[in-house]
Each structure stands twice: as C-alpha cells, then as structure tokens.
Amino acid sequence: MAENTFNTGTPSTSGPERPKSNKNGIIYGVLIAALVGTWGYMFYDKSQTSKELVTKENQLDTLTTSRNELQSEYDAAQARLDDLISQNSRMDSLVKSKDKEIADMKGRITSILGNKNATAAELAEARRLIEQLKSNTENYVATIERLEGEKIIITGERDVARKERDSVTTVKDSLGKRVDLGSVLHASNIKLAPINVKRNGKEEVTTKAKRADMMRVSFDLDNRIAQSGDKEIFVSITAPDGSPLAVEALGSGRFTLEDGTEKLYTVKKVVSYEAGGSTPVSMDWKQNSDFKPGDYTVEIYQGGFKIGAGKVNLKKGGLFN
C-alpha cells in the first residue's frame, strides 16, 4: 500500500547555525585594541610633556646663571668707574659730560637684569652694553692720561717762555745754583727690570712686554768726597717710540738740569746717603697702560747732572708666553 506524504507548508528549521559567540569576540577584540591604543597614546603624550618640562627647566637654569654672571660683571664695572671718578676730578668732569649716554646704558642694563623672565636675546644685549661700559671707562682713563701729559708739556712750555722773557735773571739764578761737580754722586750697577706680579703677590723678572706689570730701577750711589745727607734722585724712563714715560697723576713731573733747562722725570726719590760708602736704591714705576715691546732706556739724575744710564729690551712674546 502506498504511503501518503503530507506537506504542511512550514519551512524546515533543521541544518547548521552560525555561532553568536564569534561575532561578540570580534567586537570585544576591537574594543580592547582601541583601549590599548588609547593608553599607549596617553603614556607617549605624558612622556613627551615631561621631556618638554625638563628642557624648559634647564633653559631657565641657564638663563638664571647667565643673568647672575652679568650682574656680577656689571657691579664690578660700576665699582671701577666710581673709584676712578672719586680719585680724579678730570675723570669726574669727563664722565659728567657723558651723563645721558651713560645713564641710558645703565638704565637698560638694570632693566634687563632686573627681569627674571629676560630672554637669551635680552641677556646678550645686556652683555654687549656692559662690555661697552667697560670699554668706555678704559677710553676715559686713556683720555685723562693724555690730558695729564699735555698739561706737563704746556706747563713746561710756559716756563720756557717765562725764562726767555727774564733771560738775564735766569742766567744769574742758574749760575748761582750750579752744583760743584765734585759733590755729585755716581750711579753704578744700574738695572732696569720688568716685573711680573702674580696673584699671590710674588714678583719675578720677565722679558715679555705683555707680562710686565711694572718697571724696577735699581742702582748703587757712591762718591768718596760727597757729604752725607738727603739726596733727591730723579729717574727718567723712555719708551721704545722715544716718548717719556711720565704721568703727572702717577707722580711724574719736571726737574731742572744743570744748564737751566727742564726735563720730564718718571719717578723721583729722596735718598739718605752715607758718605764714604755705597748706598743701594730701588724705585718702581707702574703705569695704567700696557708696556710695549722694544728697547727702554733709563737715565738717573742728581743735582741736575746725569749720573748713570741703562737699557732693557722687552720682547713681544708668543701665544703661550
């Protein structure tokens, strides 16, 4: 008998189904990857921010150190200028003529150094102004020395003119003041030594011009028939270019020779002379400007007569000398 088959019209639900867990795993993976990426970015950003902070702190430390160093240089430059002004009225007058220029320069320097947030460019400007202030100070010193030298020369020329007007009186006075040659002292063992003074105060003889801090003239005085007593000794030092080393502000001046004329002297000293023996004498000359290389000559005078002479050569010196 044939078997009857009934079709109800309902679709079949049999067959394989796709698991939901696979889809959820993909979503979770994407979320985890996004979270890890976010953490990584946050860690990187924080690391970069820390590096930038360290860099800025280092830059601030460098600027602070530079500002402190410039403040010390500025204080020293001001102290030197104030000291020179207090010691020399000519310097005071010269600086007052530049009042506005100097005041503007100081005002700008003070403004920059007083600003804790000053930039590197501003500090560089302050350094340039400080160097200019120091350079101006040294130029003022050179100007004063030149004016002092001119003052000595003008004074000498005025004296010569006065003597020419009173020639008769001058000749009589000169004859009355002539010294007996027999009583004039003699200088021997003459030495002109360039001296280098070290920071600890120790002195040593040098042959290099740039290392010479002063000139020391030493010699012995003797004369068998000269009487004991105080003797005024004049020393005249001549530079390599032929100009006399003489600055009135440092004790230089003029003295009268035995023929009535005058001559510039570098230094002078009153020596207590003992008859019948040899009296050692030492005299130092320290100037505000550098010594130049070349031959220096020294002449020693007493009673208007030249009683001795010497010479020394200063070398230019190399890079490491």
Side-chain angles (χ1 to χ4, degrees):
M1 174 184 263
E3 184 176 1
N4 294 325
T5 301
F6 295 95
N7 187 354
T8 62
T10 302
S12 174
T13 59
S14 63
E17 293 183 359
R18 187 173 182 178
K20 293 183 179 180
S21 60
N22 290 345
K23 184 176 181 180
N24 293 336
I26 293 173
I27 295 173
Y28 292 151
V30 171
L31 292 175
I32 292 172
L35 183 60
V36 171
T38 301
W39 287 346
Y41 174 78
M42 291 175 62
F43 177 78
Y44 172 79
D45 184 62
K46 183 177 181 181
S47 174
Q48 291 297 110
T49 301
S50 298
K51 289 180 180 179
E52 291 177 359
L53 289 174
V54 171
T55 300
K56 289 182 178 179
E57 288 177 357
N58 290 337
Q59 291 174 343
L60 288 174
D61 290 342
T62 300
L63 291 175
T64 300
T65 300
S66 297
R67 187 172 61 251
N68 292 338
E69 291 176 351
L70 288 174
Q71 185 67 59
S72 297
E73 287 188 34
Y74 179 48
D75 291 343
Q78 284 198 104
R80 171 163 170 71
L81 182 58
D82 292 342
D83 184 55
L84 289 169
I85 292 173
S86 66
Q87 292 181 15
N88 194 302
S89 59
R90 280 179 176 268
M91 175 68 79
D92 186 30
S93 300
L94 184 60
V95 173
K96 282 183 178 179
S97 69
K98 304 287 186 180
D99 262 351
K100 187 178 186 309
E101 177 185 342
I102 295 176
D104 290 345
M105 194 181 302
K106 287 184 176 181
R108 179 55 179 162
I109 294 172
T110 302
S111 174
I112 294 174
L113 297 183
N115 181 12
K116 294 182 179 181
N117 297 319
T119 64
E122 289 174 327
L123 293 178
E125 180 187 357
R127 181 178 298 280
R128 177 182 62 77
L129 291 173
I130 291 170
E131 291 301 323
Q132 184 178 342
L133 179 62
K134 291 193 290 186
S135 176
N136 287 352
T137 299
E138 296 308 316
N139 288 338
Y140 297 152
V141 172
T143 299
I144 294 302
E145 290 183 354
R146 177 178 59 78
L147 292 175
E148 294 292 352
E150 290 177 354
K151 179 181 177 182
I152 293 176
I153 293 173
I154 292 172
T155 301
E157 291 175 347
R158 187 169 59 245
D159 290 344
V160 170
R162 185 183 300 114
K163 287 181 179 181
E164 289 177 349
R165 291 195 302 268
D166 304 325
S167 59
V168 175
T169 303
T170 302
V171 171
K172 289 181 179 179
D173 291 342
S174 177
L175 290 174
K177 294 179 180 179
R178 284 186 180 274
V179 180
D180 183 1
L181 287 174
S183 65
V184 176
L185 299 177
H186 172 256
S188 59
N189 300 323
I190 301 170
K191 296 179 181 178
L192 180 60
I195 303 295
N196 172 245
V197 182
K198 297 184 176 295
R199 292 184 178 178
N200 60 6
K202 185 178 179 181
E203 299 177 353
E204 65 176 12
V205 177
T206 182
T207 59
K208 311 299 183 183
K210 71 176 184 178
R211 296 185 61 193
D213 296 311
M214 64 181 179
M215 289 284 192
R216 175 164 295 160
V217 182
S218 59
F219 49 92
D220 295 326
L221 292 176
D222 57 85
N223 187 320
R224 293 182 180 180
I225 64 174
Q227 296 181 351
S228 299
D230 291 341
K231 309 292 182 182
E232 193 171 37
I233 308 299
F234 297 90
V235 169
S236 178
I237 302 175
T238 304
D241 62 359
S243 62
L245 298 184
V247 180
E248 188 178 33
L250 299 178
S252 304
R254 287 179 174 271
F255 68 102
T256 304
L257 295 172
E258 55 87 21
D259 62 358
T261 61
E262 290 189 334
K263 181 177 178 65
L264 284 170
Y265 68 84
T266 306
V267 290
K268 69 176 180 178
K269 186 175 186 179
V270 175
V271 178
S272 180
Y273 175 74
E274 292 292 334
S278 178
T279 302
V281 180
S282 178
M283 303 166 74
D284 292 340
W285 167 250
K286 186 175 182 179
Q287 59 190 28
N288 290 334
S289 56
D290 295 334
F291 289 96
K292 306 301 181 183
D295 291 327
Y296 288 78
T297 59
V298 57
E299 296 176 332
I300 304 169
Y301 293 84
Q302 186 260 321
F305 293 89
K306 183 164 72 173
I307 62 175
K311 179 183 292 187
V312 69
N313 177 267
L314 278 180
K315 298 178 182 178
K316 183 176 182 181
L319 180 62
F320 301 104
N321 291 323

